Amino acid sequence: MTDANLGITDRFKTLISQGVTRQDPGVRLLCVEDEEVDFELMQMALRQAGLAHSARRVEDEASMRAALADGHWDAVISDHNLPLFSSAAALKVLREAEPDTPFLIVSGAIGEDAAVAAMQSGADDYLMKHSLKRLAPAIEHAMASAAARRQRRATAAELRASLDYLRTLVTASPVGIITLNGEGRVTLFNAAAEEIFQISRTTIMADPQPFRLSENRASVRRLREAVRAGPVRNLEEVWLRRDGEARDFSFSAASLGAGVESGVVVFVTDVSEHKRAELARHETETRFAAISANLPGVVFQMLARPAQRTLLVPYVSAGATPLFGIPPEAFLAAPESFVECVVAEDRADLQDAVEQAVRQRAVLEGQWRVRRADGTLRWVQLSASAREAGGGNWLFDGIITDVTAQKEIEQELTRSREELRQLTAHTETVKEEERRAVAREIHDDIGSTLTGMKADLAWLSRRFSGDADVMARIEGMKLLVDGAVQTANRIVQELRPGILDYGIAPALEWQAKDFADRTGIKVSFETNDEELSLDLEQSTALFRVFQESLTNVSKYAGAARVETELFTTSNSVTLEIRDDGAGLTPGDLAKPASFGVRGMMERARALGGWLDINGPPGRGTTVMLSIPRRRPQTQLEFTEKSE
């Protein structure tokens, strides 16, 4: 452990031990002496006195400085007068290097005044060379004095460090620190106290009654009474500062001696902002509880641990009781109970939705089923925003809403739409059956009647060939019958094109040519399967969508050209009709009277396919129909179905 890591007391002990403890086996002596004989006599006297030692002789300033730089010396012994040096100069060199090492003067001739001057300069003792019996005790006494000096120096340094340390703590403390003597006068008032009380240290320490405002005397009295019973912690009082502002202060205090008469130290914290924040937090929590209790749903917080695929709900609002039949306290006691309320079939989907929201940093939204405490099922919708909670965990804050009624309405609407779709498909089927029946009636009955009329008119022509008036009437009747035949054939084709019996591709190609002949609009037709064979329902649907699309082109598009493509794969059949007309404007497809478009869409849905109509204004319109490919029905199957 380094000195920097030690406390004040430990550093003090370390310094003392460094000054006192000696591990060397003998005393190391540095002798400043120019005579080798005197150096040997001095060592002999020390050996006779039983002082274990080692010694080194130097005789000038340079050699002394070199010896001091080589290592530690327990004492320095110097002759008074040397040819190249002196005891005064040696003492000065020693004190520059080591202020506490003992320095003794051993001289053959030194005057009393010189000896006194040397002692005043810092020498520890002086002896005469002809009386060395006192040398060993003098060295030991000087070493003990040096150890005492070191200890005093270390103690003083430690005391200064402690005072500096305490001064730094008091100055930098964010807590106000005040000391008062037994008379109640302030003896310490740190910077934090100046800030808290809004008064300078100089002003309050000069005031014999520092807390003279009468509004504060009751607080001071309560504080002093509390200190008499022992240390006080966190005593909160409302304090009126000298600037007139009332603040909330927290006091901790203790006596500095046997009682308050010895003085008191007081620690003060301004808790006004904390109190306001606490009050605001309480107000916010109360307001939030009131709002959440009256929301048509449950406010909740969910902790997600994606790595463990764990969902915990530690908080739900009071709305949990009517929705789940479980009080909020139960969720708090068992955060995992929310997931247990979700029906088993929906839990994996909920977990996947949570993980997706975490990955995409998106809002968690979805609808799942929960089972209430009474066993009934409810549909709920979760909407929550995610935020990181550390450690790979995520918190979701949001609301749970009971959407059971809405879900039941949606399901009923879906069922109704499906039933309507089925009814529409059935209606279209019945309509096509009726068309085929009417077409057969026209073909068989009216067609045969018109054929008979033509035969009769031919007989009349032969019979009255000589009568010009009758022949004129007969020719007029022939024209009427021919027109009726053509009209009947056209109606039959529109009701049920017989060309469908030859395949959907020839039927569409015939319809394209017929439309072009009637309107003058160029219509092209291409297909990748000339021999495409579909059942009657699919063929009729494709043909009717084509007819309706061409009708819309002639009515609204103002187009000069229509391109048609029939594309087939092993699994699907796609019909695409593109024109170069006016295109679509917003709202064209949403018109209430757009029954033709709705009819096309219903035909596509009934066959399990889809219909798309789009076209920017001025850039033409594209109608695309795609249906699954089915095998054609045989004539026997069709006959049985018709019957």
Side-chain angles (χ1 to χ4, degrees), residues 154-196:
T155 301
E158 185 69 19
L159 180 59
R160 285 194 300 273
S162 298
L163 291 175
D164 290 342
Y165 182 72
L166 292 175
R167 187 178 295 108
T168 301
L169 288 180
V170 171
T171 302
S173 173
V175 177
I177 302 175
I178 308 167
T179 59
L180 300 95
N181 61 19
E183 299 175 355
R185 298 196 64 159
V186 174
T187 56
L188 186 148
F189 201 75
N190 71 343
E194 289 184 302
E195 178 67 24
I196 290 171

Side-chain angles (χ1 to χ4, degrees), residues 75-80 86-95 98-106 110 112-127 134 138 141-143 145-146 149:
V76 175
I77 302 173
S78 176
D79 195 356
H80 181 57
S86 68
S87 63
L91 178 60
K92 182 179 179 182
V93 171
L94 176 63
R95 292 295 175 251
E98 172 52 59
D100 293 318
T101 300
F103 186 86
L104 295 87
I105 300 175
V106 178
I110 183 173
E112 184 176 348
D113 293 338
V116 172
M119 296 293 288
Q120 290 176 343
S121 298
D124 289 87
D125 205 347
Y126 71 91
L127 298 89
R134 200 169 63 83
H141 180 268
M143 289 177 61
S145 298
R149 288 196 300 273

Side-chain angles (χ1 to χ4, degrees), residues 381-420:
Q381 176 169 316
L382 270 71
S383 298
S385 56
R387 54 189 172 93
E388 290 189 67
N393 299 325
W394 288 77
L395 278 174
F396 288 84
D397 303 291
I399 189 168
I400 304 172
T401 309
D402 187 345
V403 293
T404 304
Q406 175 186 338
K407 199 71 176 178
E408 290 174 350
I409 292 173
E410 290 178 359
Q411 292 173 344
E412 182 61 31
L413 181 59
T414 301
R415 284 194 298 270
S416 299
R417 286 178 174 174
E418 183 60 30
E419 291 173 358
L420 180 60

Side-chain angles (χ1 to χ4, degrees), residues 205-227:
M205 292 183 69
D207 195 335
Q209 293 182 334
F211 307 113
R212 64 177 183 273
L213 292 178
S214 59
E215 292 84 355
N216 298 328
R217 289 175 184 169
S219 297
V220 174
R221 184 174 61 256
R222 284 191 294 270
L223 182 61
R224 291 177 66 88
E225 291 173 354
V227 172

